[in-house]
Amino acid sequence: MNQTRPGKNDMLNDIVEENAHAIGQLIELLTHLPNNLYRQSFGQRGRHAIGKHVRHIIDHYSALLSATASPQGLLDYENRDRDQSLETDCRAGANQLSAILHSLRRRFVEHHSAELAMLHTSDEQGQVIATSVDRELVFLASHTIHHMAIIGMLAEQAGVEISDEFGVHPSTLRHLQRQQRPMARSA
């Protein structure tokens, strides 16, 4: 059986759609979340808030979009806006995520240079590292889902019902589906 390998643009579109799916789930949650819960502090020291995690996700996508806006752009995840309004206003967070979703689909639907330079700082020493748009989108999908798992846990602690797939990585969902197939056949 011959399997055709998807083209570069098809693979990039799949990665973009994986990000879009996660962002869409987060937007859906935010449309039903009360603003006071969005900014409520959790944890013994009060350091955790849904809004802080959402703002953090937004900052990372914004860094990639900024770096890919020009041919010589430099990706820098440390130099983030940290806009407080995105931490405290649930609608502002949802609106910014919607804009990011639109930008991702628009920017990466067409052929885009795969090469990207990233500034990495370690021990106050900055160094430029070669990376790619594909690699960074894969990272952002995992990063987003990781933070969504925390957001889901915080929301559930406050009594909000969360879907079974919220904050679960697609690889885990595929694994669970494979496990259920034998059970479905034996039933």
Side-chain angles (χ1 to χ4, degrees), residues 32-105:
H32 298 95
L33 201 66
N35 213 35
N36 63 331
L37 178 56
Y38 182 76
R39 60 178 174 257
Q40 179 181 333
S41 294
F42 290 87
Q44 188 172 8
R45 293 180 222 150
R47 292 188 294 173
H48 300 282
I50 292 171
K52 287 183 179 185
H53 287 279
V54 171
R55 192 263 316 142
H56 181 78
I57 291 167
I58 289 168
D59 281 349
H60 276 70
Y61 279 105
S62 296
L64 179 66
L65 289 168
S66 177
T68 58
S70 66
Q72 302 302 318
L74 181 65
L75 177 59
D76 183 358
Y77 289 124
E78 283 197 29
N79 187 17
R80 302 189 302 265
D81 287 338
R82 294 178 169 89
D83 182 346
Q84 292 290 312
S85 70
L86 297 174
E87 290 185 17
T88 58
D89 184 348
C90 190
R91 301 305 155 241
N95 290 340
Q96 188 62 32
L97 285 168
S98 293
I100 287 169
L101 181 58
H102 179 71
S103 294
L104 285 174
R105 285 181 167 150

Side-chain angles (χ1 to χ4, degrees), residues 8-10 12-13 16 63-73 103-117 131-137:
K8 181 74 171 154
N9 281 348
D10 291 336
L12 182 58
N13 287 337
V16 168
L64 179 66
L65 289 168
S66 177
T68 58
S70 66
Q72 302 302 318
S103 294
L104 285 174
R105 285 181 167 150
R106 189 180 67 242
R107 178 151 319 152
F108 301 120
V109 143
E110 300 169 6
H111 177 72
H112 194 277
S113 173
E115 296 177 10
L116 188 60
T131 186
S132 69
V133 169
D134 303 27
R135 170 64 190 100
E136 294 309 315
L137 283 169

Side-chain angles (χ1 to χ4, degrees), residues 148-165:
M148 286 173 59
I150 297 168
I151 290 167
M153 185 175 58
L154 297 176
E156 283 181 329
Q157 285 181 3
V160 175
E161 190 172 325
I162 302 298
S163 79
D164 289 343
E165 293 185 8

Side-chain angles (χ1 to χ4, degrees), residues 1-6:
M1 173 183 240
N2 277 343
Q3 287 186 333
T4 57
R5 295 187 74 192

